[in-house]
mmCIF file of all heavy atoms in Angstrom:
data_model
loop_
_atom_site.group_PDB
_atom_site.id
_atom_site.type_symbol
_atom_site.label_atom_id
_atom_site.label_comp_id
_atom_site.label_asym_id
_atom_site.label_seq_id
_atom_site.Cartn_x
_atom_site.Cartn_y
_atom_site.Cartn_z
ATOM 1 N N PRO N 202 122.917 75.048 112.860
ATOM 2 C CA PRO N 202 122.245 76.015 111.990
ATOM 3 C C PRO N 202 123.204 76.761 111.084
ATOM 4 O O PRO N 202 122.873 77.052 109.924
ATOM 5 C CB PRO N 202 121.536 76.953 112.971
ATOM 6 C CG PRO N 202 122.225 76.763 114.267
ATOM 7 C CD PRO N 202 122.686 75.344 114.284
ATOM 8 N N ALA N 203 124.396 77.082 111.585
ATOM 9 C CA ALA N 203 125.378 77.771 110.744
ATOM 10 C C ALA N 203 125.802 76.889 109.582
ATOM 11 O O ALA N 203 125.944 77.364 108.443
ATOM 12 C CB ALA N 203 126.589 78.167 111.585
ATOM 13 N N ALA N 204 125.966 75.594 109.847
ATOM 14 C CA ALA N 204 126.360 74.674 108.785
ATOM 15 C C ALA N 204 125.228 74.477 107.792
ATOM 16 O O ALA N 204 125.467 74.389 106.572
ATOM 17 C CB ALA N 204 126.769 73.336 109.390
ATOM 18 N N ALA N 205 123.991 74.432 108.269
ATOM 19 C CA ALA N 205 122.843 74.268 107.373
ATOM 20 C C ALA N 205 122.705 75.465 106.445
ATOM 21 O O ALA N 205 122.397 75.314 105.261
ATOM 22 C CB ALA N 205 121.571 74.077 108.192
ATOM 23 N N ALA N 206 122.939 76.672 106.981
ATOM 24 C CA ALA N 206 122.874 77.871 106.153
ATOM 25 C C ALA N 206 124.040 77.919 105.165
ATOM 26 O O ALA N 206 123.868 78.274 103.994
ATOM 27 C CB ALA N 206 122.873 79.115 107.036
ATOM 28 N N ALA N 207 125.229 77.544 105.646
ATOM 29 C CA ALA N 207 126.414 77.569 104.785
ATOM 30 C C ALA N 207 126.276 76.597 103.620
ATOM 31 O O ALA N 207 126.809 76.832 102.524
ATOM 32 C CB ALA N 207 127.658 77.244 105.604
ATOM 33 N N GLN N 208 125.565 75.509 103.830
ATOM 34 C CA GLN N 208 125.359 74.531 102.760
ATOM 35 C C GLN N 208 124.570 75.141 101.601
ATOM 36 O O GLN N 208 124.719 74.713 100.455
ATOM 37 C CB GLN N 208 124.623 73.309 103.308
ATOM 38 C CG GLN N 208 124.544 72.144 102.328
ATOM 39 C CD GLN N 208 123.963 70.904 102.959
ATOM 40 O OE1 GLN N 208 123.640 70.894 104.144
ATOM 41 N NE2 GLN N 208 123.838 69.845 102.187
ATOM 42 N N GLU N 209 123.753 76.150 101.900
ATOM 43 C CA GLU N 209 122.989 76.856 100.863
ATOM 44 C C GLU N 209 123.673 78.152 100.441
ATOM 45 O O GLU N 209 123.083 78.964 99.716
ATOM 46 C CB GLU N 209 121.575 77.160 101.364
ATOM 47 C CG GLU N 209 120.785 75.941 101.762
ATOM 48 C CD GLU N 209 120.549 74.991 100.608
ATOM 49 O OE1 GLU N 209 120.486 75.473 99.454
ATOM 50 O OE2 GLU N 209 120.429 73.768 100.846
ATOM 51 N N GLY N 210 124.913 78.352 100.899
ATOM 52 C CA GLY N 210 125.666 79.546 100.503
ATOM 53 C C GLY N 210 125.317 80.786 101.285
ATOM 54 O O GLY N 210 125.565 81.910 100.815
ATOM 55 N N ILE N 211 124.768 80.642 102.493
ATOM 56 C CA ILE N 211 124.349 81.785 103.303
ATOM 57 C C ILE N 211 125.142 81.812 104.600
ATOM 58 O O ILE N 211 125.286 80.799 105.276
ATOM 59 C CB ILE N 211 122.838 81.719 103.621
ATOM 60 C CG1 ILE N 211 122.021 81.790 102.327
ATOM 61 C CG2 ILE N 211 122.430 82.846 104.562
ATOM 62 C CD1 ILE N 211 120.529 81.666 102.547
ATOM 63 N N GLN N 212 125.646 82.993 104.951
ATOM 64 C CA GLN N 212 126.340 83.176 106.217
ATOM 65 C C GLN N 212 125.331 83.580 107.279
ATOM 66 O O GLN N 212 124.564 84.523 107.100
ATOM 67 C CB GLN N 212 127.409 84.262 106.090
ATOM 68 C CG GLN N 212 128.107 84.595 107.399
ATOM 69 C CD GLN N 212 129.016 85.800 107.295
ATOM 70 O OE1 GLN N 212 129.308 86.271 106.187
ATOM 71 N NE2 GLN N 212 129.458 86.319 108.426
ATOM 72 N N LEU N 213 125.307 82.872 108.395
ATOM 73 C CA LEU N 213 124.371 83.150 109.479
ATOM 74 C C LEU N 213 125.034 84.094 110.477
ATOM 75 O O LEU N 213 126.080 83.772 111.040
ATOM 76 C CB LEU N 213 123.972 81.839 110.166
ATOM 77 C CG LEU N 213 122.587 81.765 110.792
ATOM 78 C CD1 LEU N 213 121.503 81.932 109.734
ATOM 79 C CD2 LEU N 213 122.404 80.436 111.509
ATOM 80 N N GLU N 214 124.430 85.251 110.700
ATOM 81 C CA GLU N 214 124.976 86.232 111.651
ATOM 82 C C GLU N 214 123.979 86.440 112.787
ATOM 83 O O GLU N 214 122.851 86.892 112.565
ATOM 84 C CB GLU N 214 125.270 87.558 110.954
ATOM 85 C CG GLU N 214 125.870 88.584 111.895
ATOM 86 C CD GLU N 214 126.397 89.819 111.184
ATOM 87 O OE1 GLU N 214 126.861 89.683 110.035
ATOM 88 O OE2 GLU N 214 126.337 90.909 111.783
ATOM 89 N N VAL N 215 124.417 86.121 114.000
ATOM 90 C CA VAL N 215 123.569 86.240 115.181
ATOM 91 C C VAL N 215 123.661 87.657 115.724
ATOM 92 O O VAL N 215 124.754 88.140 116.047
ATOM 93 C CB VAL N 215 123.975 85.222 116.260
ATOM 94 C CG1 VAL N 215 123.095 85.381 117.493
ATOM 95 C CG2 VAL N 215 123.880 83.799 115.709
ATOM 96 N N VAL N 216 122.520 88.329 115.836
ATOM 97 C CA VAL N 216 122.450 89.671 116.414
ATOM 98 C C VAL N 216 122.142 89.514 117.894
ATOM 99 O O VAL N 216 121.040 89.120 118.266
ATOM 100 C CB VAL N 216 121.372 90.522 115.720
ATOM 101 C CG1 VAL N 216 121.318 91.921 116.339
ATOM 102 C CG2 VAL N 216 121.631 90.603 114.222
ATOM 103 N N LYS N 217 123.097 89.834 118.743
ATOM 104 C CA LYS N 217 122.955 89.604 120.182
ATOM 105 C C LYS N 217 122.413 90.842 120.884
ATOM 106 O O LYS N 217 122.529 91.959 120.396
ATOM 107 C CB LYS N 217 124.305 89.216 120.785
ATOM 108 C CG LYS N 217 124.868 87.910 120.232
ATOM 109 C CD LYS N 217 126.185 87.552 120.908
ATOM 110 C CE LYS N 217 126.727 86.243 120.371
ATOM 111 N NZ LYS N 217 128.012 85.872 121.009
ATOM 112 N N HIS N 218 121.819 90.614 122.059
ATOM 113 C CA HIS N 218 121.360 91.716 122.899
ATOM 114 C C HIS N 218 122.562 92.452 123.483
ATOM 115 O O HIS N 218 123.645 91.886 123.646
ATOM 116 C CB HIS N 218 120.494 91.189 124.051
ATOM 117 C CG HIS N 218 119.135 90.755 123.617
ATOM 118 N ND1 HIS N 218 118.136 91.628 123.287
ATOM 119 C CD2 HIS N 218 118.602 89.513 123.462
ATOM 120 C CE1 HIS N 218 117.045 90.966 122.960
ATOM 121 N NE2 HIS N 218 117.302 89.672 123.049
ATOM 122 N N HIS N 219 122.337 93.707 123.807
ATOM 123 C CA HIS N 219 123.381 94.466 124.503
ATOM 124 C C HIS N 219 123.572 93.892 125.908
ATOM 125 O O HIS N 219 122.617 93.464 126.557
ATOM 126 C CB HIS N 219 122.996 95.941 124.590
ATOM 127 C CG HIS N 219 122.823 96.591 123.250
ATOM 128 N ND1 HIS N 219 123.883 97.011 122.489
ATOM 129 C CD2 HIS N 219 121.706 96.854 122.532
ATOM 130 C CE1 HIS N 219 123.433 97.540 121.351
ATOM 131 N NE2 HIS N 219 122.109 97.450 121.360
ATOM 132 N N GLU N 220 124.813 93.899 126.358
ATOM 133 C CA GLU N 220 125.099 93.337 127.677
ATOM 134 C C GLU N 220 124.381 94.118 128.786
ATOM 135 O O GLU N 220 123.855 93.533 129.721
ATOM 136 C CB GLU N 220 126.617 93.340 127.916
ATOM 137 C CG GLU N 220 127.361 92.379 126.984
ATOM 138 C CD GLU N 220 128.833 92.334 127.281
ATOM 139 O OE1 GLU N 220 129.259 93.043 128.238
ATOM 140 O OE2 GLU N 220 129.571 91.617 126.598
ATOM 141 N N ALA N 221 124.367 95.439 128.678
ATOM 142 C CA ALA N 221 123.709 96.266 129.692
ATOM 143 C C ALA N 221 122.324 96.667 129.197
ATOM 144 O O ALA N 221 122.022 97.835 129.002
ATOM 145 C CB ALA N 221 124.557 97.498 129.985
ATOM 146 N N LYS N 222 121.485 95.669 128.997
ATOM 147 C CA LYS N 222 120.144 95.930 128.483
ATOM 148 C C LYS N 222 119.238 96.443 129.590
ATOM 149 O O LYS N 222 119.171 95.883 130.668
ATOM 150 C CB LYS N 222 119.558 94.645 127.887
ATOM 151 C CG LYS N 222 118.144 94.806 127.378
ATOM 152 C CD LYS N 222 117.591 93.487 126.893
ATOM 153 C CE LYS N 222 116.134 93.643 126.465
ATOM 154 N NZ LYS N 222 115.541 92.343 126.051
#
Side-chain angles (χ1 to χ4, degrees):
Q208 189 173 358
E209 301 298 331
I211 297 177
Q212 175 188 348
L213 210 62
E214 182 170 328
V215 179
V216 180
K217 297 182 179 180
H218 286 286
H219 299 281
E220 293 183 1
K222 178 184 176 183

